[in-house]
Amino acid sequence: MTPDEHQQVIDELQVVIDDTQHTLGRFEATGMDQQMPKDYDKMLDILDDAVTRQRAHTLAMLV
């Protein structure tokens, strides 16, 4: 991948990260994290995966 392609993926993953963090915050604010723990855990997995992939693309771009 070119640096520009890596940056595009990084930017798109940031949108996923931001949206997921916003949704997690809403879940926590309304107590849904307690009422729907499996869904909450799935969102945490999505966030973790997006951050991991973003980090990998950042490192690849720096090489």
Side-chain angles (χ1 to χ4, degrees), residues 13-41:
L13 285 166
Q14 188 61 50
V15 171
V16 172
I17 291 166
D18 292 342
D19 289 349
T20 305
Q21 286 176 325
H22 176 74
T23 303
L24 285 167
R26 289 177 52 204
F27 251 62
E28 293 164 357
T30 59
M32 295 302 289
D33 55 326
Q34 300 298 315
Q35 295 178 19
M36 300 175 69
K38 288 181 183 178
D39 292 329
Y40 184 75
D41 287 343

Side-chain angles (χ1 to χ4, degrees), residues 7-8 12 17 23 31 54 57:
Q7 187 61 54
Q8 180 180 356
E12 290 175 12
I17 291 166
T23 303
Q54 188 183 54
H57 280 279

